[in-house]
Amino acid sequence: MHNLNSDLCVNLWYYLDAQTGLVFLVSGRVYALKGSHAQKRRLLGILAETDFRTAPTFPLPADLNLAETGLDAGEGLLLPEMVDLFHAEVFAPVWEHLWSNLATLGAALEPALGWTWPVPGCHLCLTTCIIEYEDGRLEPLVMPMSHPAVR
């Protein structure tokens, strides 16, 4: 049986400097998608390849303090492996922006829709690395999607 309800789905991007290997920006976009979970996940993957170009970017949170981990890369920079470990903290400015946009549209306040935010790592939230090269090129690294709940 297919879930044909509209769900909030999110693409998140983190920008990696090809020279330093460090993350320096985050971004995201929210969608209301219909279809099965597999269809939504496939569409998120397709959109991840292009939509980052029009999504607003945000610096890493200033209060992201990783000094005690021994993995601090410096102010405003982050080692890429920290994105998964501190996902909620890294993308906090993006989530705040997305929520405020939905609230402005009134969509977040409409209880009849029953929308909730997808949990990072679930089939309705895709995180993609964007590599920025010295010449300014941006290359999305959309990973193949496999999730046990997606059929």
Side-chain angles (χ1 to χ4, degrees):
M1 181 166 185
H2 293 283
N3 174 9
L4 297 177
N5 294 328
S6 177
D7 284 314
L8 287 183
C9 301
V10 176
N11 262 325
L12 298 171
W13 297 278
Y14 62 95
Y15 288 71
L16 181 83
D17 183 294
Q19 281 190 291
T20 65
L22 297 174
V23 176
F24 63 97
L25 287 175
V26 290
S27 185
R29 182 163 298 238
V30 65
Y31 312 89
L33 301 178
K34 285 188 175 187
S36 69
H37 288 314
Q39 290 168 329
K40 293 172 195 171
R41 185 66 178 194
R42 268 192 300 282
L43 185 53
L44 279 175
I46 292 167
L47 294 169
E49 294 181 16
T50 57
D51 274 10
F52 69 91
R53 295 187 184 280
T54 58
T57 57
F58 301 90
L60 296 173
D63 60 352
L64 190 62
N65 185 359
L66 301 177
E68 67 274 2
T69 65
L71 299 168
D72 193 5
E75 189 173 331
L77 300 170
L78 187 67
L79 295 168
E81 51 270 24
M82 296 294 99
V83 173
D84 283 339
L85 292 174
F86 297 95
H87 201 279
E89 294 88 347
V90 170
F91 285 99
V94 175
W95 288 111
E96 288 172 25
H97 171 76
L98 296 176
W99 183 253
S100 69
N101 278 350
L102 282 179
T104 301
L105 296 172
L109 305 176
E110 206 169 313
L113 294 175
W115 281 343
T116 59
W117 284 114
V119 177
C122 82
H123 56 279
L124 300 179
C125 183
L126 179 63
T127 302
T128 301
C129 176
I130 305 294
I131 299 178
E132 182 177 47
Y133 294 97
E134 189 175 345
D135 62 5
R137 282 179 301 122
L138 299 172
E139 180 183 350
L141 296 178
V142 181
M143 302 309 267
M145 289 159 252
S146 63
H147 190 279
V150 178
R151 303 216 189 266

